Amino acid sequence: MAKIKGAYRLAALNEGAARLGLKTGIALADARAMIPTLEIHDADPTGDAETLLALTDWCKLFTPLAAADGPDGIVLDITGAAHLFGGESALIATITQRLRRQGFDTRAAIAGTPAAAWALARHGGQKNIVPEETPETALAKLFGPMPLAALRIETHVIAELGQAGLRRTGDLLLRPRAPIAARFGSNVFARLDELLGVTRSPISPRFDAPAFMAERRFAEGITHRDHIEAAILALCADLCGLLARHDEGARRLDVSLFRVDGAVKHIEAGTSRPLRDPKAMARLFHERIETIGEEGLETGYGFDVIRLAALSAERLDAEQVCFDTNEDRASLDDLVDRLGARFGLARITQLMPKDTHCSEQACAASPVRLRAPASRGHPRENTLLLSAPSWPAASLPAPSWDHDGDEQILALPGRPIRLLRRPEPIDTIASVPDGPPLRFRWRRVMHQVAAIEGPERIAPEWWKSTAPARDYFRAEDTAGQRFWLFREGLYQETPDPRWFMHGLFA
Amino acid sequence: MIRFADPRGYAEFGVTSNFSFLRGASHPEELVAQAIALGLAGIGIADRNSFAGVVRAHVFLRENKAEARGLRAVPGVRLVFCDGTPDILAYPQDRAAYGRLCRLLTSGNIRAAKGSCLLTLADLLDHSEGQQLIAMESSTFEHAKESGRSYQDFEQAAPAKSHPAALGELIEAAPGRLWLAASMTYGSAMRGTLAKRRKTGERLGLPLLATNDVLMHDPARRELQDVLTCIRHGVSLETAGKRLEPNAERHLKPPGEMARLFAEAPEALSETLRFLDGLAFSLDQLGHDYPQELREGFATPQEALEAFALEGAARRYPGGIPTQVSTALVHELALVAQLDYAPYFLTVHDIVRFARAQGILCQGRGSAANSTLCFCLGITEVDPVFHDLLFERFISADRREPPDIDVDFEHDRREEVIQYIYARYGRARAALTASVTTYRARSAIRETGKVFGLSEDVLSALTSQIWHFSAADGAEGEARRAGLDPTGPHLAKALALARELSGFPRHLSQHTGGFVITRTRLDEIVPLANAAMEERTVIEWDKDDLDALGILKIDILALGMLSCLRKGFDLLKAHYGRPETLASLPQEDPAVYAMIQKADTIGAFQIESRAQMSMLPRLKPATFYDLVIEVAIVRPGPIQGDMVHPYLRRRQGKEAPVYPSRELEAVLGKTLGVPLFQEQAMKIAIVAAGFTPSEADQLRRAMATFKKVGTIGTFFDKMVKGMVARGYDEDFATRCFKQIEGFGTYGFPESHAASFALLVYASCWMKCHYPDVFACALLNAQPMGFYAPAQIVRDAREHGTPVADVDINFSDWDSTLFAVEPADRLPVHQKHVDRAEDIMGTHAIRLGFRQAGGLIEHDIRRLVARRGAGYDSIRDLWLRAELSPAVLEKLAEADSFRSLGLDRREALWIVRGLNKSGDKDDLPLLKVLSFIEIEPEAKLPPMPLGQHVVEDYRHLSLSLKAHPVVFLRAQLSKRGVSKACSLLTFPANQRVSVAGLVLVRQRPGTAKGTVFLTLEDETGVANIIVWPKVFEALRAVVIGSKLIAVTGRLQREGEVVHIVAEKAEDWTRALSQLSVMGPDLQAIARADEIKQPLPGRREPVLTRPPELFDAMPLPGLPEHQDARRAMPKGRNFQ
């Protein structure tokens, strides 16, 4: 389901839904009216694109020249690769089978041009291979009955051609080109020629070429972990030099270990901020290798090439060396990165304030916030990772008539800084219905109240709790100690409400 | 024991009702009711920069006679400033101060965007005379929510003052009239704050005034209040945090509790009473402020009115005024004089006279409209002899409410009337009334659900049913159907709160046509604000508020049928030389009633719906009054009250009319003892249950407006007990009450029914005798009514009127009539053949370009103006009419080049070629060369007839060439599906199948979940009934199909045939085949159902040598071009 043209509509269906007569593009409301029990999920175009990219990477198993193609396709240049997998039909079988095991339905086709393969995969029916050197007439026979969509032209052009009664590729083939091109543009025929192999467009996969890369080759495979790490450190230094020249810092790093026998081992590491410190970088990989262990490296016969690439980088301006460095800050970031490399960043938490009346829940541990990755080279304010969470500043009261400026507003803060782990029961004497306690006994010590403010009534969050409301008091005893107490429940509600100590003021 | 300095105890000011939208959690009525219950001395509702809620509080107080019980309700307003000044509550001391306050708010409204109000302290200082002010503790202004974009500029213009300085200015501007608010609402430092406020007060010499800054009438509303806060901020409960109130303390509290809280400052309590005593203004001081309406030559309005009435009577009755009429007139005029309503009638008279002079058809309706007086004044055409309504009943002397007259105008010319009113009375004295948009079940669930964090998916499951809540099981049922558990605590809570929220006002919008007109400045009576439409101002009160205060309003409404009738009258005059008006039509024409009795009423006013059409053959209307009943009977009121069937039985003579009592015989005599009209139900309450007239009226309004307060129960008891005590059957009493309940929401009084019945008669007369005129006028008045143009055209053809395609050489923007030889007329359809001689129309209809989508009237006017002797080529049209290629494409898509010998495909091809050959003003030499001649022939395949039909539907919403189902008939016949026209030949209870396009799906609220389908095939329509159980099983098919095949038992009731569905099959997919169908059509269809597109013109073109391609079916069209898309979806009604 996605929001299209101002209404929620079905963006995709599974087979079952299609069988029930639903179609993509119909309004969610209508679909619901038809099938009230319809199970619906939000469309996730970014997720889909990411999955497609991952699949594209996986396809590099078969050929290095693989690229995502549109929202739902992958194009592979298998020139010279098919024989490695037992020929073209075997290759198709392997790919579709292995993808099916991963849970993907695939339609694959092989043809002499990307355009032809694209058309064949989508409109070819059973036929999925066009052998090389197929004569043009045979191609025409093959592609002629396909709908114009096989040409991969814009839908409105397809629609307009349809109004003229031209609905298949073959309808164009047989007609004089000039009048059609005059009305619908010459692109139509350019595509037709591509499809028939009259013109060839090179495949131009959009490779994610690493932004920065350093590489070492060794005369013979190195196997020892220390050597590998030493090599990585050296590569880190190279890479950082490169990064420094461009005022960039790495955000995602990848070490590729190419084994003598052709296998490739990847170690990836992410950072929480743009990074350009060789030691810190190497330390990340050290932690990773530590985690997977020596055997995890599967050194085998040894690696003869080690490549370090910064898969993504962000702007990182040279730092001013200054006297009061915020070294604490940097080392904290470092710590987070290192812990993160070992345990996963998600497991590192920090306390964050929460906006609620309920004092126990006023702060909570949440994962350390990673900054959203910015596009490479995009100038960006260099914010700190653990940007001080926005704790409510001693909340400023709204404008009021009383602020003459000559009065101290509040002698005491509204809440203690820390609360007792759990409220402790106290014995009190207080007046009904909501009077303050006159004296109370806490941890076996009797306190005589000298000054008090309250009650401040905090009702529970009714949508998740049925606890009684609490009346909080700030109390100062005769010894000058300050307490935060509350009565749980109101006299109207319970005959004998209990009192608790919840915190101490400094 | 608490002792008060003043025995009256306490008055609460600073009460926020739910007319401070999304803040207050209680209706004004609830607040007043609670104040009565708690024994407060006074309550001052003060909404945010608005008086929208105060009238309701006032009315509630008045109706519950609360003043006698010691409660006063004073109108006030919470002024929220955008310059940082803390909120100030303002209460006017007298009428003049109230006027100033209205002007203050008006100025704030006018400078802001719709729905917001921008005020500064300076504004208040200018208007502070006579106001009692309470300075609240802080400002509650919210930037983004309340100001819109304009705030930024505004802020720069008015820098905020420091608060102490502001306070100083206020003291100076309102000496002795300024109080300092003090609240004890269990905030974080309430005692400290109170002490500080006292100090401030002492320092400045300002008295402290206790207020609980109320948001709700009862603490139980806390949950709803939190939900409202979340809706306002667009957050969920989980994320709302401190935007919510920490507790539920801001409710109305009893005086004793307030005294306890303010034990340290008891004077703050007695100040509330002193404050109250200073206020002498009541909303009762408004009202009766009619425009003076003097007429030249007359000393008083009454004199003028009497003269106009007599003049009109003389015109109405050229043969002398009957005594009955003159007696009634004298009586009515005396009553008008007594109540001083003459100016009101003169105002309506003037507006109607203006409309008449402009040739705008109009008709008054409403209680007072159907009086002899209004008939004589020409406000209505319903002759009062048809009904004996008593004038007093509507202009009641004791209620002193203004008479109620609505005037309907042609829908496309109403704006002229509105502008006339503005011009005549000026913007300072005329404005539109508001209508309060409230939360409905659906919107309430949607918003509450969002607050509860329900996913979009669940929300849509709960709310987006095509037919939402049936009364039977409500949201719970929908939830269950969607596979949710409505008893789960989370969902149950959300649903419960949604139910509480529904009925809450959401925002004010502009009433469709209610005008308020005053003698003095309107902005001193009620604040004005900008309406969504430019150049219009709207007041803050709705029509009930105005009614309650006795302020004049006139409803200037738009009615499509009046446009249609006026167009029809124009055509009649132009083509048949017959000048007719609503008043001049031959009355009680038996031919017209014969047609109505046969339910041949497609397009007729009101009686064209499925339910009405199935009632007509049973009711067999034979007189005008039967039409009045017909209009009123198929309504939720009588249906809910179970009054329809008893009436039918008595009408058909199967049962003798019985009257529960003699006194009721007088009331119910006309309707055979069955109450059908709102007036009768009210009269029963009066005559049989002992209600006073104003109590009966209160009862009616209670039903409509505040179901939430729960006064209904008391009325029910009172009525049933009252009737039983007078010896009536309890069952009858309950039914009467139920019917009033139905009327409350869908009130349909006899007076309205009578005015409507006149239009029913007029439209039927036109349809009966001049079906060509009627259909043409109807097409030109679209969109309106129950049926789409396709059905109107079909109906016209079945009545013998030929209809011709849109064509560049013949069509205008509107559809037109042209004379044809009698031989060229179509045969009248078999089912109407007995009426053939009543048809006097002899013309044919030429469809107009308004029927084609995407065209602009302006372009077509130019096309028509420059047509001369006609266009001889597309190029000629292009150059002479200077139409853009995009417009030419639309014309081609509408297949309007047939007179040039070009079909849609060829025309489009040529137009697209024009488009590419450059602009027409380039290279004058090339202009003479035809582009088409030099380019090679493209040899396009001919467009099959099936696809033409599809394209006709897509671009014209109908096709004259063939019905889409014709093409599938062979397939359907193979599956045993019958034609709709053959249904009449089957015996009852036979199992039959029919298939057709779904025209209408109807699921009336009164039918307990039954769905009525209307299908159309090439031979006619078939009516299907789907019982709820079957519907649940066939839901997807019934709702999702455009073409459907239904199998079921045939049911016959008189001449009405239904099929009770057992199975249904979705044939929509088959429509896609249409685009390739055509050549073999002759074989499967009757020749007269098909019109060949262009016989014999085209030589066959061989487009593809078959051996060239692998065998593969012709690809379908792209999704958005598929025939399925072009076909109508079917209209859903409730």
Side-chain angles (χ1 to χ4, degrees), chain B residues 198 573 672 836:
Chain B
R198 286 184 81 177
K573 197 168 158 196
L672 307 177

Side-chain angles (χ1 to χ4, degrees), chain B residues 822-993:
Chain B
D824 289 338
R825 286 189 55 83
L826 300 177
V828 175
H829 193 281
Q830 211 181 323
K831 61 188 173 196
H832 307 308
V833 82
D834 52 336
R835 290 196 39 250
E837 55 217 46
D838 293 333
I839 297 173
M840 301 191 269
T842 54
H843 285 55
I845 296 172
R846 167 69 67 180
L847 291 181
F849 282 104
R850 63 156 61 229
Q851 200 52 50
L855 289 168
I856 299 166
E857 187 172 355
H858 179 73
D859 287 333
I860 300 305
R861 295 257 177 256
R862 195 165 59 235
L863 177 151
V864 173
R866 299 187 185 172
R867 187 149 61 195
Y871 298 105
D872 59 15
S873 68
I874 292 184
R875 203 173 179 74
D876 180 31
L877 171 66
W878 184 39
L879 295 173
R880 276 208 282 145
E882 294 180 61
L883 298 173
S884 73
V887 174
L888 292 172
E889 269 188 39
K890 296 270 182 251
L891 292 173
E893 283 171 342
D895 205 14
S896 62
F897 289 100
R898 294 270 171 174
S899 59
L900 298 180
L902 298 170
D903 82 345
R904 157 182 287 132
R905 174 165 291 168
E906 296 162 314
L908 256 180
W909 186 256
I910 295 170
V911 168
R912 293 226 163 92
L914 286 178
N915 194 1
K916 297 301 182 292
S917 71
D919 285 312
K920 48 188 178 297
D921 53 359
D922 68 345
L923 303 178
L925 266 179
L926 280 180
K927 239 194 229 179
V928 290
L929 297 172
S930 171
F931 188 76
I932 301 141
E933 279 162 27
I934 46 173
E935 75 175 4
E937 176 69 58
K939 296 191 175 165
L940 301 178
M943 184 178 277
L945 183 55
Q947 195 176 355
H948 268 302
V949 170
V950 171
E951 295 295 310
D952 280 346
Y953 267 88
R954 191 192 316 280
H955 299 290
L956 298 157
S957 78
L958 58 91
S959 178
L960 300 176
K961 299 183 180 94
H963 192 278
V965 175
V966 167
F967 301 88
L968 305 170
R969 181 52 65 197
Q971 292 177 51
L972 289 166
S973 300
K974 232 179 274 168
R975 301 280 293 274
V977 176
S978 313
K979 293 181 182 180
C981 65
S982 66
L983 289 180
L984 279 168
T985 63
F986 289 107
N989 245 348
Q990 166 103 17
R991 215 154 171 267
V992 288
S993 300

Side-chain angles (χ1 to χ4, degrees), chain A residues 1-12 24-30 43:
Chain A
M1 168 196 78
K3 198 157 194 170
I4 302 164
K5 284 187 216 150
Y8 288 97
R9 292 170 189 281
L10 301 189
T24 55
I26 67 174
L28 180 62
D30 293 342

Side-chain angles (χ1 to χ4, degrees), chain A residues 1 5 8 18 20-21 23-30 32-42 123-125 127 137 140-148 155-156 158-171 173-185 354-358 362 392 398-404 406-410 414-415 432-436 452-464 471 473-474 490 492, chain B residues 84-88 135-139 163-164 166-167 170 180 186-193 196-197 199-200 203 222-223 226-227 237-249 260-261 452 456-458 460-461 464-466 481-483 490 493 497 889 893 905 908-910 912-913 916 931 935-941 943 947 951 955 1035-1036 1039-1040 1069 1075-1076 1103-1105 1107-1110 1112-1121 1124-1125 1129:
Chain A
M1 168 196 78
K5 284 187 216 150
Y8 288 97
L20 288 169
K23 279 188 285 291
T24 55
I26 67 174
L28 180 62
D30 293 342
R32 271 277 175 214
M34 289 164 62
I35 322 281
T37 50
L38 193 65
E39 190 182 317
I40 291 176
H41 303 277
D42 284 342
H123 304 281
K127 189 153 175 94
T137 47
K141 203 163 141 64
L142 173 63
F143 290 112
M146 287 191 191
L148 289 175
T155 31
H156 78 92
I158 297 178
E160 286 169 9
L161 283 164
Q163 285 174 320
L166 309 177
R167 287 156 74 167
R168 333 177 194 216
T169 313
D171 292 342
L173 272 172
L174 296 166
R175 289 201 160 67
R177 290 188 168 198
I180 296 175
R183 287 166 176 84
F184 305 104
K354 285 190 64 180
D355 184 18
T356 170
H357 288 294
C358 188
S400 156
W401 302 111
D402 304 323
H403 296 171
D404 300 3
D406 54 23
E407 279 181 73
Q408 264 297 7
I409 300 166
L410 293 170
R415 304 269 191 279
V432 284
D434 54 14
I452 195 139
E453 169 62 271
E456 176 184 1
R457 185 161 296 172
I458 296 178
E461 295 180 327
W462 50 269
W463 58 95
K464 52 184 179 198
D471 272 356
F473 291 87
R474 286 176 287 167
L490 314 179
Q492 299 97 292
Chain B
T85 308
D87 294 356
I88 290 173
M136 299 300 284
E137 285 178 39
S138 56
S139 171
H163 301 129
L167 214 47
L170 271 175
L180 213 50
Y186 292 82
S188 67
M190 69 172 184
R191 283 176 206 287
T193 313
K196 223 154 42 209
R197 295 232 105 191
K199 232 167 79 188
T200 310
R203 196 181 69 233
R222 170 176 173 235
E223 298 177 355
D226 285 350
V227 167
L237 284 166
E238 289 299 330
T239 54
K242 291 195 178 133
R243 281 173 276 212
L244 305 180
E245 291 289 319
N247 54 44
E249 294 304 313
R260 188 183 70 77
L261 286 169
F452 271 77
E456 185 55 45
D457 172 34
V458 174
S460 74
S464 58
Q465 302 290 342
I466 286 184
R481 237 160 281 145
H490 202 60
K493 185 107 231 172
L497 285 171
E889 269 188 39
E893 283 171 342
R905 174 165 291 168
L908 256 180
W909 186 256
I910 295 170
R912 293 226 163 92
K916 297 301 182 292
F931 188 76
E935 75 175 4
E937 176 69 58
K939 296 191 175 165
L940 301 178
M943 184 178 277
Q947 195 176 355
E951 295 295 310
H955 299 290
R1035 196 180 184 98
I1039 295 178
R1069 210 172 288 258
S1075 64
V1076 293
T1103 52
R1104 21 169 221 270
E1107 75 280 9
L1108 188 66
F1109 300 141
D1110 289 349
M1112 233 188 210
L1114 189 66
L1117 289 165
E1119 180 83 355
H1120 67 279
Q1121 246 196 338
R1124 285 176 266 174
R1125 284 275 176 106
K1129 237 179 128 179

